[in-house]
Amino acid sequence: MFYVYAYMRAKDSKTANAGTPYYIGKGTGNRYRIKNPGHSIPVPASNSNIIILENNLTNVGSLAIERRMIEWYGRKDIGTGILLNLSLIHI
């Protein structure tokens, strides 16, 4: 089963306030704790800054929710929001 998670800001930044997400992802197992070698996104030092948004999902369901959350918060790299995500998952 899959889940969708968010990395939350521990402190205020120029982009957004503490407690807001800076990355949305999907995974299984302990994926939320593993740094993706292709990304520069830092994994929070504390589990208290990682939130599981939805769990017990199918792969397609998790992709759909991840996409919706990225669209909702927007991407910093293209000027639409506060997330460091670099791509929007298309299904």
Side-chain angles (χ1 to χ4, degrees):
M1 299 308 293
F2 291 84
Y3 56 83
V4 177
Y5 62 94
Y7 291 165
M8 309 302 282
R9 289 179 174 81
K11 58 185 179 178
D12 291 347
S13 71
K14 290 181 182 181
T15 302
N17 294 330
T20 60
Y22 66 87
Y23 181 77
I24 304 289
K26 75 160 209 81
T28 61
N30 67 346
R31 168 67 187 96
Y32 66 94
R33 293 294 309 149
I34 299 170
K35 183 177 181 338
N36 185 327
H39 291 187
S40 61
I41 308 300
V43 175
S46 171
N47 280 345
S48 65
N49 290 325
I50 302 171
I51 296 176
I52 304 298
L53 301 171
E54 295 279 345
N55 60 18
N56 295 321
L57 301 167
T58 64
N59 186 39
V60 172
S62 66
L63 287 167
I65 292 170
E66 179 188 29
R67 179 180 178 172
R68 184 175 355 135
M69 297 306 293
I70 293 169
E71 287 176 341
W72 176 264
Y73 285 104
R75 290 175 36 204
K76 186 175 176 178
D77 68 328
I78 59 173
T80 61
I82 63 173
L83 297 176
L84 299 178
N85 292 71
L86 295 179
S87 64
L88 183 61
I89 304 300
H90 295 283
I91 57 174

